[in-house]
Each structure stands twice: as C-alpha cells, then as structure tokens.
C-alpha cells in the first residue's frame, strides 16, 4: 500500500488535471465548474491553480499549499475502489476527495450537493 501512496504523492497535478477537465467536459460540465469545485476543496483561485499547473507541482506540494475546506470530511463513498472514510494516508485521502468531487461533477450532481452545502 505504501508504494501506492508514494506514487500518488509524487504524481504531478498538471499531469492529472487535463483528465479531470476531459471527464467533466464530456458530461457537459464546464472548466469553470471544475475550478469552482477545486477552489471549494483547496482554496485555490484560478490564478493560483494555473500557477501550480505551470510549476508542475506534485500532489504532495499541491495539498501542502492547499487550505482544505473544513467540510471536506463530509466527502464519503467509494472512489477508485477505495472507501474514502477508510483511507489512512492523509495525502491519499485528500487526492481521493478531489477525485470524488470531480466524479460527482461529471455525474451531473447539483453543485450545492457537491460543495456539501445542502
């Protein structure tokens, strides 16, 4: 399991971001909606997000810079075969939070539900 966590930590956010974007756009969601979800989770503005992409930061650096939303612990369920609530590695859990939000966006969930407002 450790190698899985290390792989996630060293992966560049910039390498995964285009996949997030493609996934949501294929389902008629927008880049703006994706950025809103990312900002909700991390506190990153569009400018900061673009800077992190340009710098090709790892997920570890990405989440070290993030100001994680206090409601992020409300993100539950299964993503990539893992139950989020049971993930012990804090960084892997944060990456899966992001994966889950992107997944919910692509599945057409209402923004208020994705952002845990309702």
């Amino acid at each position: 399991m450790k190698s899985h966590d290390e792989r996630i930590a060293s992966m560049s956010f910039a390498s995964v971001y285009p996949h997030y974007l493609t996934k949501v756009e294929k389902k008629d969601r927008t880049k703006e909606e994706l950025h809103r979800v990312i900002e909700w989770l991390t506190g990153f503005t569009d400018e900061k997000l673009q800077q992190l992409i340009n710098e090709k930061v790892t997920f570890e650096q990405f989440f070290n810079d993030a100001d994680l939303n206090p409601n992020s612990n409300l993100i539950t369920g299964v993503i990539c075969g893992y139950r989020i609530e049971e993930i012990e590695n804090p960084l892997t859990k944060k990456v899966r939070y992001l994966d889950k939000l992107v997944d919910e966006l692509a599945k057409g969930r209402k923004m208020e539900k994705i952002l845990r407002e309702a």
Side-chain angles (χ1 to χ4, degrees):
M1 185 66 176
K2 190 162 174 50
S3 65
H4 173 76
D5 292 329
E6 288 170 349
R7 210 168 52 246
I8 287 176
S10 63
M11 228 187 304
S12 101
F13 175 76
S15 70
V16 178
Y17 174 81
H19 299 289
Y20 289 152
L21 189 57
T22 301
K23 183 174 187 169
V24 302
E25 286 181 338
K26 266 205 260 185
K27 300 291 185 170
D28 295 323
R29 300 304 287 258
T30 65
K31 179 179 181 176
E32 289 72 27
E33 288 174 309
L34 174 62
H35 284 204
R36 185 169 169 207
V37 166
I38 294 171
E39 184 172 356
W40 177 86
L41 181 65
T42 63
F44 296 145
T45 61
D46 285 351
E47 294 78 24
K48 178 66 174 174
L49 190 59
Q50 192 57 58
Q51 177 191 340
L52 294 168
I53 290 168
N54 293 346
E55 292 173 4
K56 295 182 171 34
V57 298
T58 63
F59 269 109
E60 187 167 26
Q61 293 165 305
F62 182 83
F63 279 106
N64 280 344
D65 285 357
D67 182 18
L68 209 64
N69 190 299
N71 287 336
S72 60
N73 64 326
L74 300 175
I75 303 168
T76 58
V78 176
I79 190 77
C80 302
Y82 297 95
R83 179 154 288 286
I84 294 173
E85 308 88 296
E86 296 171 2
I87 296 173
E88 292 180 16
N89 181 289
L91 175 63
T92 302
K93 182 177 264 192
K94 291 171 190 172
V95 173
R96 295 303 181 207
Y97 282 161
L98 181 55
D99 291 343
K100 183 71 174 172
L101 294 178
V102 171
D103 207 42
E104 291 177 357
L105 186 63
K107 287 182 174 167
R109 259 191 123 189
K110 287 191 164 94
M111 194 56 84
E112 312 82 74
K113 295 254 187 236
I114 296 170
L115 303 184
R116 304 328 196 236
E117 293 171 353

